[in-house]
Amino acid sequence: MIENWTKELVIQRLLAITLLVVLFILCFQVVQFFIVPALWAAILAYVTFPIYKFFHHKVKFSPDFSAAIMTVTISLMIGIPLVIGVFILQQEAISLYTTLIHRIKVGYVDLPESIKNLPVIGQQIKDTLWEINKDPEGSMAAFKAWINSHLYYGKVALDVVLSSLAKMGMALMTLFFFYRDGVSLVKQIRQALRNIIGNRIDDYIDSVGATTQAVVYGIGLTALAQALLAGIGYFFAGAPSPILLTLMTFVIALIPFGTPFAWGGVSLWLLSQGHATEGIGLALWGIFVISWVDNLIRPIVISGATKIPFIIIFIGVLGGLTAFGFVGLFIGPVVLAIGLAVWREWISQHHNEIFAPKEKLLDDEQVLANVQGENKIVMNEKMGKEDK
């Protein structure tokens, strides 16, 4: 009877586990598309939650109205620069396309001498330009054929853009509910993890919160400061479309040590166009002003707030970017912060054993040897008495 009951219990447990696994897989399939938007919404909600609390607790707005104010504000902060950037990029693309078509038609496509004189590829560039200018009509036909043959990549790019816009809309919609129900959701997550891991989970969650806030502020403030300073440099250097270049620099600056590629590329372009003074001036501005901001703000804000070595944050940012995409800029450091918190807790629990003085360890070994020796003497005495 007991054996049958045990078998039934095992079968029930296996069925329950199987159903839970199947349920988890199905839920993951359903929400897979929304995971990244939800992560973005969670990050934005967490770092801006004090402003929501100000509207809700200080101004005494309702939770729905406070969440709506925050969601609309965040949407405008993201949407307005995005619309401006897309509009400027469209105008620049149309202008570039029109100019290129016109020059091909008249047989005058040229590049600066500095580019045509580049080693290794310079002669190939000259030959290509000569072929284009020699037969404008044939070049036009080849250019149109090339565009038609690469329309597939344009469709892929359009699909990526539409998918990104859909995810952004989903993130903004989810942001509203995170503001309104965020406190209750965090309490539920805390309790669920506490049931599994224990009370130590509170320290881990606090570490996650501090790291997320510091990384977002450190990366975001650094990127914003660098983009604004770079925009000033673009404007005074006479670079084309300084607003668009500033927006692109902000995106690139989110990646550690990525900003020099932005202002460095513009500086090289100015030099290639014969604007030596402006190009050199922008390069000096980037080296002594823009890069200085990166070296100052990012380590102080991130490492100072989290007490985590900056190299750990740096590895987390780049590793997270590689593993999870753009949202990995913030997930990577958080994951490493949790690992570091677990490591420090384990070290603190075994501190006396790991960092015990060498003399103490020797004393313990001697005590153990003495105890073993005394036990042997006692055993020998007992055996001698039994023989007698």
Side-chain angles (χ1 to χ4, degrees):
M1 186 68 181
I2 297 177
E3 183 179 358
N4 294 333
W5 180 83
T6 304
K7 288 182 179 180
E8 291 176 357
L9 181 62
V10 170
I11 292 174
Q12 290 177 356
R13 293 290 176 86
L14 288 176
L15 288 175
I17 294 173
T18 303
L19 290 175
L20 287 175
V21 171
V22 171
L23 179 63
F24 176 80
I25 294 174
L26 293 176
C27 290
F28 178 78
Q29 292 294 328
V30 172
V31 304
Q32 184 177 7
F33 179 82
F34 306 100
I35 292 177
V36 173
L39 288 174
W40 278 115
I43 293 171
L44 289 174
Y46 181 78
V47 298
T48 58
F49 203 75
I51 306 176
Y52 165 80
K53 291 173 64 177
F54 170 78
F55 286 114
H56 180 42
H57 296 293
K58 300 294 183 181
V59 188
K60 303 297 182 181
F61 287 154
S62 65
D64 290 337
F65 190 60
S66 301
I69 292 176
M70 291 299 302
T71 304
V72 171
T73 303
I74 296 295
S75 301
L76 292 176
M77 292 176 61
I78 296 175
I80 291 177
L82 182 62
V83 172
I84 294 174
V86 170
F87 176 76
I88 296 175
L89 184 61
Q90 179 188 10
Q91 297 299 317
E92 291 293 327
I94 293 174
S95 176
L96 177 62
Y97 178 80
T98 304
T99 303
L100 182 61
I101 293 297
H102 174 72
R103 290 192 175 186
I104 291 178
K105 285 182 177 179
V106 300
Y108 181 69
V109 179
D110 199 10
L111 291 173
E113 292 295 329
S114 58
I115 295 180
K116 292 191 291 185
N117 293 329
L118 288 173
V120 182
I121 63 173
Q123 187 59 45
Q124 185 178 358
I125 293 174
K126 291 179 183 179
D127 295 340
T128 303
L129 293 175
W130 184 80
E131 291 289 341
I132 293 174
N133 294 325
K134 182 182 69 171
D135 185 11
E137 294 182 0
S139 300
M140 278 292 300
F143 181 66
K144 291 180 179 179
W146 182 85
I147 291 179
N148 291 329
S149 65
H150 290 77
L151 288 178
Y152 171 77
Y153 297 104
K155 181 180 180 300
V156 173
L158 181 61
D159 291 341
V160 172
V161 171
L162 293 178
S163 176
S164 300
L165 291 176
K167 289 182 178 180
M168 183 183 300
M170 181 56 61
L172 293 175
M173 186 176 69
T174 308
L175 184 63
F176 172 84
F177 296 98
F178 278 166
Y179 281 129
R180 192 188 67 178
D181 307 319
V183 175
S184 175
L185 181 61
V186 170
K187 288 180 179 179
Q188 295 177 39
I189 294 174
R190 275 183 180 270
Q191 187 58 48
L193 294 176
R194 193 179 290 117
N195 293 339
I196 299 172
I197 300 177
N199 292 329
R200 68 179 65 180
I201 193 62
D202 294 328
D203 295 333
Y204 298 157
I205 292 178
D206 294 338
S207 177
V208 169
T211 304
T212 302
Q213 198 168 30
V215 170
V216 171
Y217 287 153
I219 293 178
L221 290 177
T222 303
L224 180 61
Q226 287 185 311
L228 292 176
L229 291 173
I232 295 173
Y234 300 151
F235 176 78
F236 284 102
S241 303
I243 297 177
L244 178 61
L245 290 175
T246 301
L247 295 175
M248 294 175 63
T249 302
F250 173 76
V251 175
I252 297 174
L254 293 173
I255 303 173
F257 307 111
T259 315
F261 293 98
W263 56 258
V266 177
S267 178
L268 292 175
W269 184 87
L270 291 172
L271 290 173
S272 69
Q273 297 298 312
H275 304 292
T277 303
E278 292 83 353
I280 295 174
L282 180 61
L284 294 176
W285 177 260
I287 294 172
F288 294 106
V289 178
I290 301 175
S291 297
W292 178 77
V293 171
D294 185 25
N295 296 330
L296 178 66
I297 296 180
R298 200 188 302 263
I300 291 178
V301 174
I302 297 179
S303 298
T306 61
K307 307 302 180 184
I308 298 175
F310 182 71
I311 185 61
I312 300 294
I313 299 296
F314 177 73
I315 294 174
V317 169
L318 294 184
L321 181 66
T322 303
F324 305 107
F326 210 63
V327 73
L329 288 171
F330 310 103
I331 296 178
V334 170
V335 171
L336 292 187
I338 296 174
L340 186 61
V342 174
W343 169 260
R344 286 174 173 173
E345 182 184 10
W346 182 80
I347 291 295
S348 63
Q349 290 178 350
H350 300 81
H351 184 274
N352 295 332
E353 301 174 14
I354 298 174
F355 298 100
K358 186 175 181 180
E359 292 79 6
K360 185 178 183 302
L361 292 176
L362 291 176
D363 292 343
D364 291 342
E365 292 177 356
Q366 291 174 356
V367 169
L368 180 60
N370 293 335
V371 171
Q372 292 176 346
E374 292 176 357
N375 291 336
K376 288 181 179 180
I377 294 173
V378 172
M379 291 295 296
N380 292 332
E381 291 178 353
K382 290 183 177 180
M383 292 177 63
K385 291 179 179 180
E386 292 177 355
D387 293 338
K388 292 181 179 179

